[in-house]
Amino acid sequence: MYEIGVVHRNIQRADAEAADKLAAFGSATVHEAMGRAGLMQPIMRPIYAGAQVSGTAVTVLLQPGDNWMLHVAAEQIKDGDIVVAACTADNTDGFFGDLLATSFRARGARGLVIDGGVRDVKVLTEMGFPVWSKSVSAKGTVKSTLGSVNIPLVCAGALVQPGDAIVADDDGVVVVPAALAAKVADAAAAREANEGDKRAKLAAGVLGLDMYKMREPLEKAGLKYID
C-alpha cells in the first residue's frame, strides 16, 4: 500500500559515477545487460527524438488530475536526478509543462518520466528538457490533493525505488536498482564491446547466419533452400 502525504528527504541514491555511465549505453543495452529486466511499458515515449539521459530517481506519487506533488518534489531534486512520477489511478492530463521544467532544471534535474500526460511540448523541446510520458494533453491540473515524494512506486509497469538509476532514450525507459548500478554499467560496457566486434564483422560482409552459427539449427528445424 502506498504512503500518502509523506516526503522522504534523505534517500540513498545509486552511485553517481555508475548512474552517469549508463546513459552512454542506452536503454536497450542496459536492459539486456540486466537480464532483460526493469523496462517500462512501451507506452512511455519521449516528447522529442534524440534525448539520451541517465540519472537517479526522485519518485512522485500523484493524484489524478493534480500536480501539487510535482511542486513539492522540486525541493527534493539534486543535481543528476530524474523525476519519476506515477498516479494513483490511470490519468492522462497534462501534469507538467515548461514552468515546472524551468524549476526542475534550476534544481539540477536531467528530465522527467511520467506515467501520465505532459503539455507545452514545443517549449520543452526548445528548452531541451527531456520528458518521457504516455500522453500529450493540453488539459491542465489542479493543486488540492496530497500524494507523496520519494516512496517506492510502480511507473508504467516497473517498480521504482527512490534513488534507483534511470536510463531513458528513444527506445524506452529502464530502471536499474541502486545496488546494481555499478555491476550493470560494467555488464553494459562488456556487451557494447562485444557488439562492436559483431558490427565490424557484419560490415565486412560476414552473415549473421555464420556469425551466430545458425545454419545447423535451421537445417534441423527443416529449412530448405530451393533453386
Side-chain angles (χ1 to χ4, degrees), residues 192-204:
E192 188 85 352
N194 183 46
E195 288 186 351
D197 291 340
K198 291 177 181 177
R199 191 174 294 107
K201 290 178 180 177
L202 292 169

Side-chain angles (χ1 to χ4, degrees), residues 8-73:
H8 292 276
R9 291 176 169 171
N10 299 310
I11 62 172
Q12 187 65 46
R13 289 169 168 82
D15 177 75
E17 183 178 355
D20 288 348
K21 284 180 180 177
L22 291 169
F25 305 118
S27 62
T29 296
V30 171
H31 178 235
E32 295 282 358
M34 200 166 57
R36 297 184 180 179
L39 181 64
M40 290 189 185
Q41 295 166 348
I43 56 173
M44 302 297 283
R45 300 304 305 146
I47 60 170
Y48 61 84
Q52 185 163 324
V53 300
S54 64
T56 45
V58 166
T59 63
V60 187
L61 181 65
L62 301 166
Q63 299 286 355
D66 194 314
N67 76 347
W68 211 4
M69 299 311 292
L70 287 174
H71 290 272
V72 175

Side-chain angles (χ1 to χ4, degrees), residues 64-68 91 93-96 119 139-143:
D66 194 314
N67 76 347
W68 211 4
N91 192 260
D93 293 349
F95 289 92
F96 186 86
R119 61 183 187 173
K139 185 179 179 183
T141 55
V142 299
K143 299 168 180 62

